[in-house]
Amino acid sequence: FGVRTQDLARALRRYCAGSSPAASMVAAALTTAFCGLLRGAEVGRPDGVAFDPLLHVTRDDLTFRQRPDGTLYAVIMVRVAKRPGAPKLPLILGGGGTLLDPVTALRRMVELDPVPAAARATTPLFRWPNGAAICTSDVRALVKGLMAKLGLDPRRFGAHSLRIGGATAALAAGIPPQLIRMMGRWSSDIYEIYCRMSE
């Protein structure tokens, strides 16, 4: 099942609204994954694989930029999980969402868990307080746990539920299918199975 925008926003407000670095990281990681249509292995590292700054997202891969009108947006250089050896591609995230705002979530995470400039290129973008990069199973467990706390069946959810939910929300918002395909880094029409019917 895809995670609904409203459910993710409600769960993050209830359970990840604290001022701890871990809570801010969880909120930033899940919001970014949902809005950026990211796979679990693109948010962190695949299970059983050591963190490699050449392959996985680092703090150095995140930049905040400003449009001429003053609004902020974020750019994350992401390596597509299903294209080994391919260069990192820019993932552009806007802010200001009424339910989910990845730019605000990312800025809060960076403020609560600062990294010296010299260490950013080797520090995971999303990391636990002990410094370890989050992995796909962490994303899966977080999604299942948050949905269970909302009274939903956790067996229906996983790391990919963020990608499914994000694609469905984009389609419901009127984003053209070809743009959803590009945003999700799909090389074929397979993205169509991610966009679920909704009210």
Side-chain angles (χ1 to χ4, degrees), residues 4 134 196:
R4 291 179 353 129
I134 66 168
R196 309 293 165 88

Side-chain angles (χ1 to χ4, degrees), residues 51-101:
F51 177 77
D52 182 342
L54 297 177
L55 300 176
H56 308 121
V57 288
T58 68
R59 286 292 174 93
D60 208 36
D61 289 322
L62 170 66
T63 56
F64 296 101
R65 300 183 186 166
Q66 197 168 32
R67 292 191 178 94
D69 67 1
T71 59
L72 279 179
Y73 64 99
V75 178
I76 303 174
M77 297 304 293
V78 177
R79 186 177 299 281
V80 179
K82 292 197 173 184
R83 294 187 204 143
K88 290 183 176 180
L89 301 173
L91 170 65
I92 300 170
L93 297 165
T98 56
L99 293 175
L100 296 173
D101 184 343

Side-chain angles (χ1 to χ4, degrees), residues 35-46:
C35 295
L37 309 182
L38 291 172
R39 298 172 177 93
E42 293 167 346
V43 177
R45 61 176 174 77

Side-chain angles (χ1 to χ4, degrees), residues 107-187:
R107 288 186 71 199
R108 181 166 174 74
M109 177 189 76
V110 168
E111 288 168 8
L112 292 174
D113 182 22
V115 174
R120 288 180 193 151
T122 56
T123 300
L125 176 58
F126 302 113
R127 64 178 184 162
W128 294 111
N130 66 2
I134 66 168
C135 59
T136 306
S137 61
D138 293 330
V139 176
R140 183 181 311 114
L142 289 166
V143 171
K144 285 178 173 290
L146 288 172
M147 293 303 103
K149 286 181 178 183
L150 295 180
L152 301 171
D153 184 352
R155 294 172 298 179
R156 296 183 172 203
F157 297 93
H160 237 53
S161 295
L162 296 168
R163 192 162 159 85
I164 294 167
T168 301
L171 185 65
I175 294 177
Q178 61 272 26
L179 183 54
I180 295 172
R181 177 177 169 180
M182 186 172 32
M183 287 171 54
R185 298 154 310 282
W186 281 289
S187 58

